[in-house]
Amino acid sequence: MPAPAPALLPAFTAEVHIIGVNPYVFLPEATLKKLFTQAGKEKGSIPVRGTLDGYPFTQTLVKYSGHWRLYLNGPMRKAAGKDVGDPVRVRIAFDPTDRSISMHPALDIALKEHPEAAAVFVGLSPSRKKEIVRYISRLKSAEALERNVARAIGFLLKKERFVGRDRP
């Protein structure tokens, strides 16, 4: 039986900032230290869960440009009715839930049929691999699946763009 998820840490209030097109909040140092303890690490991305003005969320805490940031995606901000410059009340905790995504069988078969593409896929960063697997796994229709698996293979073979990315 897995260990229970850590309790949400005490609430803090922060202002919503933006970098590029990405809204985020900074976490207080004391909250960060407690999150690091819950997660058992201080490096790499940290999966978290919590509430934004009382509305639940799951997200990933990341360090960018020397600062840990909790990015606030559209659904999070819409639920809380918040935008850049607004104050938000945040409760947060490490989320030990497994977030791995299984590769869709159609992508697995296509990679086996195209060893050159498979070799490129293996060499991609974990985040890029996850992006491709996640995109393919969320497709609903057989037509979209077939079309996008072909595009993913084309991307890996440096023949086209895929999910808004240039060829690797």
Side-chain angles (χ1 to χ4, degrees), residues 31-59:
T31 301
L32 278 173
K33 287 181 182 181
K34 290 176 184 173
L35 269 175
F36 295 154
T37 299
Q38 287 181 342
K41 66 179 189 171
E42 295 182 23
K43 293 183 179 182
S45 59
I46 299 176
V48 295
R49 64 181 175 77
T51 61
L52 184 69
D53 280 358
Y55 295 92
F57 68 82
T58 56
Q59 189 59 288

PDB file of all heavy atoms in Angstrom, residues 31-59:
ATOM      1  N   THR A  31       8.015  27.686   2.765  1.00  0.00           N
ATOM      2  CA  THR A  31       7.172  26.713   2.067  1.00  0.00           C
ATOM      3  C   THR A  31       8.025  25.837   1.159  1.00  0.00           C
ATOM      4  O   THR A  31       7.847  24.619   1.107  1.00  0.00           O
ATOM      5  CB  THR A  31       6.065  27.430   1.263  1.00  0.00           C
ATOM      6  OG1 THR A  31       5.277  28.212   2.156  1.00  0.00           O
ATOM      7  CG2 THR A  31       5.180  26.449   0.522  1.00  0.00           C
ATOM      8  N   LEU A  32       8.969  26.465   0.454  1.00  0.00           N
ATOM      9  CA  LEU A  32       9.864  25.704  -0.411  1.00  0.00           C
ATOM     10  C   LEU A  32      10.633  24.649   0.379  1.00  0.00           C
ATOM     11  O   LEU A  32      10.726  23.498  -0.032  1.00  0.00           O
ATOM     12  CB  LEU A  32      10.860  26.628  -1.114  1.00  0.00           C
ATOM     13  CG  LEU A  32      10.360  27.336  -2.362  1.00  0.00           C
ATOM     14  CD1 LEU A  32      11.394  28.344  -2.845  1.00  0.00           C
ATOM     15  CD2 LEU A  32      10.039  26.340  -3.448  1.00  0.00           C
ATOM     16  N   LYS A  33      11.178  25.043   1.518  1.00  0.00           N
ATOM     17  CA  LYS A  33      11.955  24.108   2.337  1.00  0.00           C
ATOM     18  C   LYS A  33      11.099  22.921   2.771  1.00  0.00           C
ATOM     19  O   LYS A  33      11.548  21.775   2.736  1.00  0.00           O
ATOM     20  CB  LYS A  33      12.544  24.818   3.554  1.00  0.00           C
ATOM     21  CG  LYS A  33      13.698  25.731   3.191  1.00  0.00           C
ATOM     22  CD  LYS A  33      14.271  26.401   4.420  1.00  0.00           C
ATOM     23  CE  LYS A  33      15.402  27.341   4.009  1.00  0.00           C
ATOM     24  NZ  LYS A  33      16.013  28.010   5.153  1.00  0.00           N
ATOM     25  N   LYS A  34       9.859  23.177   3.158  1.00  0.00           N
ATOM     26  CA  LYS A  34       8.970  22.087   3.567  1.00  0.00           C
ATOM     27  C   LYS A  34       8.611  21.186   2.380  1.00  0.00           C
ATOM     28  O   LYS A  34       8.527  19.965   2.526  1.00  0.00           O
ATOM     29  CB  LYS A  34       7.717  22.649   4.228  1.00  0.00           C
ATOM     30  CG  LYS A  34       7.991  23.270   5.584  1.00  0.00           C
ATOM     31  CD  LYS A  34       6.751  23.918   6.174  1.00  0.00           C
ATOM     32  CE  LYS A  34       7.091  24.617   7.491  1.00  0.00           C
ATOM     33  NZ  LYS A  34       5.957  25.399   7.993  1.00  0.00           N
ATOM     34  N   LEU A  35       8.423  21.789   1.194  1.00  0.00           N
ATOM     35  CA  LEU A  35       8.145  20.994  -0.007  1.00  0.00           C
ATOM     36  C   LEU A  35       9.335  20.104  -0.350  1.00  0.00           C
ATOM     37  O   LEU A  35       9.157  18.934  -0.712  1.00  0.00           O
ATOM     38  CB  LEU A  35       7.843  21.903  -1.194  1.00  0.00           C
ATOM     39  CG  LEU A  35       6.396  22.266  -1.433  1.00  0.00           C
ATOM     40  CD1 LEU A  35       6.274  23.267  -2.567  1.00  0.00           C
ATOM     41  CD2 LEU A  35       5.554  21.061  -1.707  1.00  0.00           C
ATOM     42  N   PHE A  36      10.550  20.659  -0.253  1.00  0.00           N
ATOM     43  CA  PHE A  36      11.746  19.878  -0.540  1.00  0.00           C
ATOM     44  C   PHE A  36      11.831  18.686   0.416  1.00  0.00           C
ATOM     45  O   PHE A  36      12.190  17.581   0.011  1.00  0.00           O
ATOM     46  CB  PHE A  36      13.008  20.726  -0.420  1.00  0.00           C
ATOM     47  CG  PHE A  36      13.114  21.838  -1.426  1.00  0.00           C
ATOM     48  CD1 PHE A  36      13.859  22.967  -1.131  1.00  0.00           C
ATOM     49  CD2 PHE A  36      12.484  21.783  -2.659  1.00  0.00           C
ATOM     50  CE1 PHE A  36      13.982  24.007  -2.044  1.00  0.00           C
ATOM     51  CE2 PHE A  36      12.588  22.818  -3.580  1.00  0.00           C
ATOM     52  CZ  PHE A  36      13.352  23.931  -3.274  1.00  0.00           C
ATOM     53  N   THR A  37      11.482  18.911   1.661  1.00  0.00           N
ATOM     54  CA  THR A  37      11.489  17.821   2.649  1.00  0.00           C
ATOM     55  C   THR A  37      10.450  16.772   2.276  1.00  0.00           C
ATOM     56  O   THR A  37      10.733  15.569   2.294  1.00  0.00           O
ATOM     57  CB  THR A  37      11.232  18.372   4.065  1.00  0.00           C
ATOM     58  OG1 THR A  37      12.269  19.295   4.396  1.00  0.00           O
ATOM     59  CG2 THR A  37      11.189  17.263   5.090  1.00  0.00           C
ATOM     60  N   GLN A  38       9.232  17.217   1.925  1.00  0.00           N
ATOM     61  CA  GLN A  38       8.182  16.271   1.534  1.00  0.00           C
ATOM     62  C   GLN A  38       8.610  15.459   0.305  1.00  0.00           C
ATOM     63  O   GLN A  38       8.381  14.257   0.235  1.00  0.00           O
ATOM     64  CB  GLN A  38       6.882  17.005   1.214  1.00  0.00           C
ATOM     65  CG  GLN A  38       6.144  17.555   2.403  1.00  0.00           C
ATOM     66  CD  GLN A  38       4.835  18.245   1.996  1.00  0.00           C
ATOM     67  OE1 GLN A  38       4.616  18.599   0.842  1.00  0.00           O
ATOM     68  NE2 GLN A  38       3.959  18.428   2.983  1.00  0.00           N
ATOM     69  N   ALA A  39       9.223  16.146  -0.675  1.00  0.00           N
ATOM     70  CA  ALA A  39       9.598  15.502  -1.933  1.00  0.00           C
ATOM     71  C   ALA A  39      10.870  14.675  -1.795  1.00  0.00           C
ATOM     72  O   ALA A  39      11.129  13.792  -2.619  1.00  0.00           O
ATOM     73  CB  ALA A  39       9.776  16.554  -3.026  1.00  0.00           C
ATOM     74  N   GLY A  40      11.689  14.984  -0.796  1.00  0.00           N
ATOM     75  CA  GLY A  40      12.961  14.293  -0.642  1.00  0.00           C
ATOM     76  C   GLY A  40      13.984  14.721  -1.666  1.00  0.00           C
ATOM     77  O   GLY A  40      14.929  13.994  -1.965  1.00  0.00           O
ATOM     78  N   LYS A  41      13.803  15.925  -2.240  1.00  0.00           N
ATOM     79  CA  LYS A  41      14.765  16.437  -3.213  1.00  0.00           C
ATOM     80  C   LYS A  41      14.626  17.955  -3.336  1.00  0.00           C
ATOM     81  O   LYS A  41      13.604  18.528  -2.961  1.00  0.00           O
ATOM     82  CB  LYS A  41      14.590  15.783  -4.578  1.00  0.00           C
ATOM     83  CG  LYS A  41      13.266  16.105  -5.271  1.00  0.00           C
ATOM     84  CD  LYS A  41      13.208  15.416  -6.632  1.00  0.00           C
ATOM     85  CE  LYS A  41      12.012  15.879  -7.442  1.00  0.00           C
ATOM     86  NZ  LYS A  41      12.056  15.389  -8.810  1.00  0.00           N
ATOM     87  N   GLU A  42      15.687  18.572  -3.862  1.00  0.00           N
ATOM     88  CA  GLU A  42      15.698  20.010  -4.089  1.00  0.00           C
ATOM     89  C   GLU A  42      16.060  20.353  -5.523  1.00  0.00           C
ATOM     90  O   GLU A  42      16.316  21.508  -5.837  1.00  0.00           O
ATOM     91  CB  GLU A  42      16.705  20.694  -3.149  1.00  0.00           C
ATOM     92  CG  GLU A  42      16.348  20.584  -1.693  1.00  0.00           C
ATOM     93  CD  GLU A  42      17.331  21.314  -0.781  1.00  0.00           C
ATOM     94  OE1 GLU A  42      18.020  22.243  -1.254  1.00  0.00           O
ATOM     95  OE2 GLU A  42      17.381  20.954   0.403  1.00  0.00           O
ATOM     96  N   LYS A  43      16.119  19.351  -6.382  1.00  0.00           N
ATOM     97  CA  LYS A  43      16.488  19.557  -7.781  1.00  0.00           C
ATOM     98  C   LYS A  43      15.462  18.872  -8.672  1.00  0.00           C
ATOM     99  O   LYS A  43      14.796  17.936  -8.258  1.00  0.00           O
ATOM    100  CB  LYS A  43      17.870  18.978  -8.066  1.00  0.00           C
ATOM    101  CG  LYS A  43      18.981  19.700  -7.354  1.00  0.00           C
ATOM    102  CD  LYS A  43      20.320  19.121  -7.728  1.00  0.00           C
ATOM    103  CE  LYS A  43      21.427  19.884  -7.002  1.00  0.00           C
ATOM    104  NZ  LYS A  43      22.737  19.398  -7.370  1.00  0.00           N
ATOM    105  N   GLY A  44      15.394  19.339  -9.914  1.00  0.00           N
ATOM    106  CA  GLY A  44      14.458  18.763 -10.861  1.00  0.00           C
ATOM    107  C   GLY A  44      13.052  19.259 -10.587  1.00  0.00           C
ATOM    108  O   GLY A  44      12.800  20.004  -9.641  1.00  0.00           O
ATOM    109  N   SER A  45      12.144  18.870 -11.440  1.00  0.00           N
ATOM    110  CA  SER A  45      10.755  19.284 -11.245  1.00  0.00           C
ATOM    111  C   SER A  45      10.153  18.522 -10.072  1.00  0.00           C
ATOM    112  O   SER A  45      10.541  17.399  -9.778  1.00  0.00           O
ATOM    113  CB  SER A  45       9.946  19.042 -12.516  1.00  0.00           C
ATOM    114  OG  SER A  45       9.994  17.680 -12.858  1.00  0.00           O
ATOM    115  N   ILE A  46       9.201  19.161  -9.394  1.00  0.00           N
ATOM    116  CA  ILE A  46       8.560  18.561  -8.227  1.00  0.00           C
ATOM    117  C   ILE A  46       7.050  18.557  -8.453  1.00  0.00           C
ATOM    118  O   ILE A  46       6.429  19.617  -8.548  1.00  0.00           O
ATOM    119  CB  ILE A  46       8.918  19.343  -6.938  1.00  0.00           C
ATOM    120  CG1 ILE A  46      10.430  19.302  -6.719  1.00  0.00           C
ATOM    121  CG2 ILE A  46       8.157  18.773  -5.742  1.00  0.00           C
ATOM    122  CD1 ILE A  46      10.912  20.109  -5.529  1.00  0.00           C
ATOM    123  N   PRO A  47       6.453  17.370  -8.558  1.00  0.00           N
ATOM    124  CA  PRO A  47       4.998  17.314  -8.725  1.00  0.00           C
ATOM    125  C   PRO A  47       4.312  17.771  -7.439  1.00  0.00           C
ATOM    126  O   PRO A  47       4.709  17.375  -6.342  1.00  0.00           O
ATOM    127  CB  PRO A  47       4.721  15.837  -9.009  1.00  0.00           C
ATOM    128  CG  PRO A  47       5.913  15.103  -8.506  1.00  0.00           C
ATOM    129  CD  PRO A  47       7.066  16.053  -8.521  1.00  0.00           C
ATOM    130  N   VAL A  48       3.321  18.632  -7.609  1.00  0.00           N
ATOM    131  CA  VAL A  48       2.609  19.180  -6.453  1.00  0.00           C
ATOM    132  C   VAL A  48       1.107  19.138  -6.688  1.00  0.00           C
ATOM    133  O   VAL A  48       0.639  18.995  -7.807  1.00  0.00           O
ATOM    134  CB  VAL A  48       3.050  20.637  -6.143  1.00  0.00           C
ATOM    135  CG1 VAL A  48       4.501  20.694  -5.714  1.00  0.00           C
ATOM    136  CG2 VAL A  48       2.803  21.559  -7.329  1.00  0.00           C
ATOM    137  N   ARG A  49       0.375  19.282  -5.601  1.00  0.00           N
ATOM    138  CA  ARG A  49      -1.079  19.430  -5.637  1.00  0.00           C
ATOM    139  C   ARG A  49      -1.400  20.510  -4.617  1.00  0.00           C
ATOM    140  O   ARG A  49      -0.578  20.844  -3.769  1.00  0.00           O
ATOM    141  CB  ARG A  49      -1.773  18.125  -5.286  1.00  0.00           C
ATOM    142  CG  ARG A  49      -1.490  17.689  -3.867  1.00  0.00           C
ATOM    143  CD  ARG A  49      -2.149  16.370  -3.513  1.00  0.00           C
ATOM    144  NE  ARG A  49      -1.747  15.952  -2.194  1.00  0.00           N
ATOM    145  CZ  ARG A  49      -2.224  16.448  -1.055  1.00  0.00           C
ATOM    146  NH1 ARG A  49      -3.177  17.359  -1.068  1.00  0.00           N
ATOM    147  NH2 ARG A  49      -1.771  16.033   0.114  1.00  0.00           N
ATOM    148  N   GLY A  50      -2.581  21.063  -4.712  1.00  0.00           N
ATOM    149  CA  GLY A  50      -2.952  22.070  -3.734  1.00  0.00           C
ATOM    150  C   GLY A  50      -4.232  22.771  -4.113  1.00  0.00           C
ATOM    151  O   GLY A  50      -5.052  22.235  -4.862  1.00  0.00           O
ATOM    152  N   THR A  51      -4.364  23.983  -3.569  1.00  0.00           N
ATOM    153  CA  THR A  51      -5.525  24.813  -3.902  1.00  0.00           C
ATOM    154  C   THR A  51      -5.062  26.219  -4.242  1.00  0.00           C
ATOM    155  O   THR A  51      -4.088  26.726  -3.683  1.00  0.00           O
ATOM    156  CB  THR A  51      -6.539  24.884  -2.740  1.00  0.00           C
ATOM    157  OG1 THR A  51      -5.906  25.465  -1.601  1.00  0.00           O
ATOM    158  CG2 THR A  51      -7.095  23.505  -2.399  1.00  0.00           C
ATOM    159  N   LEU A  52      -5.758  26.825  -5.175  1.00  0.00           N
ATOM    160  CA  LEU A  52      -5.547  28.214  -5.568  1.00  0.00           C
ATOM    161  C   LEU A  52      -6.854  28.928  -5.261  1.00  0.00           C
ATOM    162  O   LEU A  52      -7.872  28.665  -5.917  1.00  0.00           O
ATOM    163  CB  LEU A  52      -5.208  28.289  -7.060  1.00  0.00           C
ATOM    164  CG  LEU A  52      -4.876  29.664  -7.617  1.00  0.00           C
ATOM    165  CD1 LEU A  52      -3.547  30.151  -7.054  1.00  0.00           C
ATOM    166  CD2 LEU A  52      -4.815  29.611  -9.140  1.00  0.00           C
ATOM    167  N   ASP A  53      -6.844  29.751  -4.234  1.00  0.00           N
ATOM    168  CA  ASP A  53      -8.063  30.397  -3.750  1.00  0.00           C
ATOM    169  C   ASP A  53      -9.177  29.379  -3.503  1.00  0.00           C
ATOM    170  O   ASP A  53     -10.342  29.604  -3.805  1.00  0.00           O
ATOM    171  CB  ASP A  53      -8.539  31.492  -4.704  1.00  0.00           C
ATOM    172  CG  ASP A  53      -7.774  32.801  -4.529  1.00  0.00           C
ATOM    173  OD1 ASP A  53      -6.903  32.870  -3.638  1.00  0.00           O
ATOM    174  OD2 ASP A  53      -8.052  33.751  -5.274  1.00  0.00           O
ATOM    175  N   GLY A  54      -8.780  28.219  -2.975  1.00  0.00           N
ATOM    176  CA  GLY A  54      -9.744  27.175  -2.623  1.00  0.00           C
ATOM    177  C   GLY A  54     -10.053  26.187  -3.729  1.00  0.00           C
ATOM    178  O   GLY A  54     -10.702  25.179  -3.482  1.00  0.00           O
ATOM    179  N   TYR A  55      -9.613  26.446  -4.960  1.00  0.00           N
ATOM    180  CA  TYR A  55      -9.880  25.549  -6.080  1.00  0.00           C
ATOM    181  C   TYR A  55      -8.711  24.577  -6.238  1.00  0.00           C
ATOM    182  O   TYR A  55      -7.563  25.001  -6.331  1.00  0.00           O
ATOM    183  CB  TYR A  55     -10.093  26.343  -7.378  1.00  0.00           C
ATOM    184  CG  TYR A  55     -11.317  27.204  -7.313  1.00  0.00           C
ATOM    185  CD1 TYR A  55     -11.247  28.527  -6.873  1.00  0.00           C
ATOM    186  CD2 TYR A  55     -12.562  26.693  -7.657  1.00  0.00           C
ATOM    187  CE1 TYR A  55     -12.383  29.317  -6.778  1.00  0.00           C
ATOM    188  CE2 TYR A  55     -13.709  27.474  -7.574  1.00  0.00           C
ATOM    189  CZ  TYR A  55     -13.606  28.781  -7.135  1.00  0.00           C
ATOM    190  OH  TYR A  55     -14.731  29.562  -7.039  1.00  0.00           O
ATOM    191  N   PRO A  56      -8.981  23.275  -6.280  1.00  0.00           N
ATOM    192  CA  PRO A  56      -7.891  22.290  -6.325  1.00  0.00           C
ATOM    193  C   PRO A  56      -7.140  22.300  -7.653  1.00  0.00           C
ATOM    194  O   PRO A  56      -7.707  22.615  -8.702  1.00  0.00           O
ATOM    195  CB  PRO A  56      -8.609  20.954  -6.119  1.00  0.00           C
ATOM    196  CG  PRO A  56     -10.023  21.201  -6.474  1.00  0.00           C
ATOM    197  CD  PRO A  56     -10.301  22.660  -6.245  1.00  0.00           C
ATOM    198  N   PHE A  57      -5.865  21.955  -7.580  1.00  0.00           N
ATOM    199  CA  PHE A  57      -5.044  21.838  -8.779  1.00  0.00           C
ATOM    200  C   PHE A  57      -3.987  20.759  -8.580  1.00  0.00           C
ATOM    201  O   PHE A  57      -3.647  20.406  -7.459  1.00  0.00           O
ATOM    202  CB  PHE A  57      -4.361  23.173  -9.133  1.00  0.00           C
ATOM    203  CG  PHE A  57      -3.304  23.608  -8.149  1.00  0.00           C
ATOM    204  CD1 PHE A  57      -2.004  23.107  -8.209  1.00  0.00           C
ATOM    205  CD2 PHE A  57      -3.605  24.520  -7.148  1.00  0.00           C
ATOM    206  CE1 PHE A  57      -1.032  23.518  -7.303  1.00  0.00           C
ATOM    207  CE2 PHE A  57      -2.643  24.944  -6.245  1.00  0.00           C
ATOM    208  CZ  PHE A  57      -1.344  24.424  -6.318  1.00  0.00           C
ATOM    209  N   THR A  58      -3.476  20.257  -9.699  1.00  0.00           N
ATOM    210  CA  THR A  58      -2.243  19.479  -9.720  1.00  0.00           C
ATOM    211  C   THR A  58      -1.345  20.191 -10.716  1.00  0.00           C
ATOM    212  O   THR A  58      -1.813  20.670 -11.756  1.00  0.00           O
ATOM    213  CB  THR A  58      -2.459  18.009 -10.148  1.00  0.00           C
ATOM    214  OG1 THR A  58      -3.093  17.988 -11.418  1.00  0.00           O
ATOM    215  CG2 THR A  58      -3.291  17.261  -9.142  1.00  0.00           C
ATOM    216  N   GLN A  59      -0.087  20.264 -10.382  1.00  0.00           N
ATOM    217  CA  GLN A  59       0.843  21.043 -11.200  1.00  0.00           C
ATOM    218  C   GLN A  59       2.248  20.529 -10.920  1.00  0.00           C
ATOM    219  O   GLN A  59       2.437  19.634 -10.080  1.00  0.00           O
ATOM    220  CB  GLN A  59       0.706  22.540 -10.861  1.00  0.00           C
ATOM    221  CG  GLN A  59       1.443  23.504 -11.742  1.00  0.00           C
ATOM    222  CD  GLN A  59       1.058  23.431 -13.200  1.00  0.00           C
ATOM    223  OE1 GLN A  59       1.408  22.473 -13.861  1.00  0.00           O
ATOM    224  NE2 GLN A  59       0.355  24.436 -13.691  1.00  0.00           N
TER     225      GLN A  59
END
